[in-house]
Amino acid sequence: MELSSSFLPTELPWLEISIVIICALLTYVTLVFVLFREDTEAPIDYTVPLPEQCKPGWKGKTLEEPSIKIPGSSAIQCYNPANGQSLGQSNPATSDGIDRAVVKATEAQQEWARTSFSQRRKVLRTMLKHILDNQETIATLACLDSGKTKVDAMLGEILVTVEKLQWTIRHGEEALKPSRRPTNFLLMYKHNEVRWEPLGVLAACVSWK
C-alpha cells in the first residue's frame, strides 16, 4: 500500500505548534484581562476634616461640675466623662430640623434601594478602607466622647465595625436573597418565599454612656 505525499504525519508538528501558540495567546489575553481590568468595586479615597479636639497639642477646659446642661442656654455641653474635659457645645435639633433630616434620609433611601449589590459593596469597601486608614483618629474621638480607654475603643469601635463590614461585603448579597420556605400537603399549590424589603427611615431613641 502506497502512502500519499500529503499524509498527515508530515503536517502534525505544525498542527501541534499552532495549538500551542493559540493556547499561549489565550492564556496571555486572560492574564491581561484579569490583571488590568478595572475593579468596579474598588474603594474610593475620601477625607473628613480632622476635629480640633484630635489635633496635636489640643487641651480642653476642665469643667468643675461637668453637666450636659448649660445655665441660661439651650445648648448641650459635651465633655469627656473620664476627666470632665470640655469638648465644646452642640445645639439640639429642632422639630423642623428633624423633619428636614427625615425628608433627606427618605430621598437617600429611595435612591439607595435602586442600587445593585455591587454598588453597595463599593460603598462598604470605601467605608472599610477609611476606617482602617483613620483608625487612630477614630479611636481617639471615641475615647474623648465616651471616656473609654484606647484599647476599649480599638476593640469595641474599630474591630467590631470592621468585622461587620467585612461580613456584609462577603455574605450580604447571599443573605438578602429571597429564600424558599416549605409548605404542607393541603397548601402544596402555594409558593412560600421570604423577601427582605427595606422599611425606609427609622428613628431610635437610645441612651448611651
Side-chain angles (χ1 to χ4, degrees):
M1 178 178 179
E2 295 184 0
L3 297 177
S4 171
S5 59
S6 60
F7 189 58
L8 281 177
T10 60
E11 299 180 2
L12 268 178
W14 294 105
L15 179 62
E16 293 175 351
I17 292 173
S18 299
I19 293 174
V20 171
I21 292 174
I22 292 173
C23 290
L25 287 173
L26 289 174
T27 302
Y28 174 76
V29 171
T30 302
L31 286 173
V32 170
F33 175 77
V34 171
L35 294 176
F36 297 100
R37 68 175 178 174
E38 182 181 359
D39 186 359
T40 57
E41 296 182 7
I44 299 173
D45 289 324
Y46 70 96
T47 58
V48 176
L50 187 67
E52 188 70 28
Q53 294 85 346
C54 286
K55 293 180 179 179
W58 178 86
K59 290 184 179 180
K61 176 184 177 183
T62 301
L63 303 175
E64 295 181 1
E65 297 181 2
S67 173
I68 63 172
K69 295 182 179 180
I70 301 176
S73 174
S74 60
I76 298 174
Q77 173 67 60
C78 304
Y79 63 92
N80 184 342
N83 55 19
Q85 195 175 41
S86 174
L87 302 175
Q89 301 176 2
S90 176
N91 290 320
T94 63
S95 297
D96 290 340
I98 294 174
D99 290 340
R100 289 193 296 271
V102 170
V103 169
K104 288 184 178 180
T106 301
E107 294 173 351
Q109 188 276 325
Q110 292 172 350
E111 182 177 355
W112 176 259
R114 293 191 291 269
T115 61
S116 65
F117 211 88
S118 177
Q119 293 172 308
R120 298 179 187 186
R121 270 193 297 266
K122 184 182 184 73
V123 174
L124 295 177
R125 285 196 169 106
T126 297
M127 293 172 60
L128 177 61
K129 184 177 186 302
H130 181 80
I131 291 172
L132 293 175
D133 290 346
N134 299 275
Q135 54 186 294
E136 187 69 25
T137 299
I138 296 173
T140 299
L141 282 171
C143 293
L144 290 172
D145 190 52
S146 65
K148 61 178 62 178
T149 64
K150 185 64 71 71
V151 173
D152 287 338
M154 283 294 186
L155 294 177
E157 307 292 344
I158 306 299
L159 180 61
V160 172
T161 303
V162 166
E163 283 300 313
K164 288 180 178 179
L165 284 171
Q166 288 181 334
W167 189 94
T168 307
I169 290 169
R170 293 170 184 164
H171 309 291
E173 184 174 16
E174 184 66 28
L176 293 176
K177 284 182 177 179
S179 56
R180 295 287 300 273
R181 291 294 186 272
T183 186
N184 56 43
F185 180 76
L186 294 176
L187 297 176
M188 60 181 179
Y189 59 93
K190 294 287 187 179
H191 176 84
N192 300 328
E193 187 177 74
V194 175
R195 287 181 172 270
W196 300 93
E197 297 183 359
L199 297 177
V201 181
L202 298 175
C205 298
V206 297
S207 59
W208 204 246
K209 296 184 182 178

